[in-house]
Amino acid sequence: MNASAFEVKLASWALCGDELSKIRHAVFVQEQGVPLGIELDEKDADPLAVTHVAATSAIGGTIGTARMLLEPAAVRIGRMAVLPGWRGRGVGQKMLEVLCDEAKRRGYFMARLYAQTHAAPFYAKQGFIVFGEEFFDAGIRHIEMRRSP
């Protein structure tokens, strides 16, 4: 079995929420210092408001997650988190691909996200374009980016 192989699938918070929240806690709360009270919200558990993806290693275990809020005019991708040892291996790219494919399947014409500014070049490589000015969220610099799914 290839230790660097992984799979990304749509995920149910009801079934996978514990695993997905562990990834987000490790990346956002522990690594980046985001307060726990603003990292998790009521939207996560609402399948009518949000779609989740889970990235899992071929040898077992969740290694990444992201979510897509289903808003009236566009989807908003966020909470993208990949464990440090898996970064740079295409996990984030694949999660974006799966979410954008799902947005297109649902009839959306616009995907947007709030990228941490250090990650903006990664999103630009995936076709996202900067929109607006930088702002702070949870004490971290962000920039809005958009693309057609």
Side-chain angles (χ1 to χ4, degrees), residues 30-106:
Q30 293 178 326
E31 183 181 331
Q32 298 181 353
V34 173
L36 180 60
I38 64 171
E39 201 296 300
L40 295 174
D41 61 33
E42 70 286 346
K43 295 174 187 162
D44 284 315
D46 183 353
L48 299 176
V50 67
T51 298
H52 295 274
V53 291
T56 54
S57 163
I59 58 174
T62 305
I63 58 170
T65 185
R67 75 179 190 182
M68 178 173 69
L69 297 175
L70 307 172
E71 298 177 339
V75 296
R76 183 162 48 105
I77 296 170
R79 303 300 204 272
M80 171 120 36
V82 177
L83 293 178
W86 284 91
R87 294 178 192 154
R89 296 183 181 189
V91 177
Q93 179 181 352
K94 184 64 177 175
M95 290 192 304
L96 279 175
E97 178 184 313
V98 169
L99 286 173
C100 286
D101 286 349
E102 180 64 11
K104 188 183 296 184
R105 187 189 73 74
R106 290 175 180 240

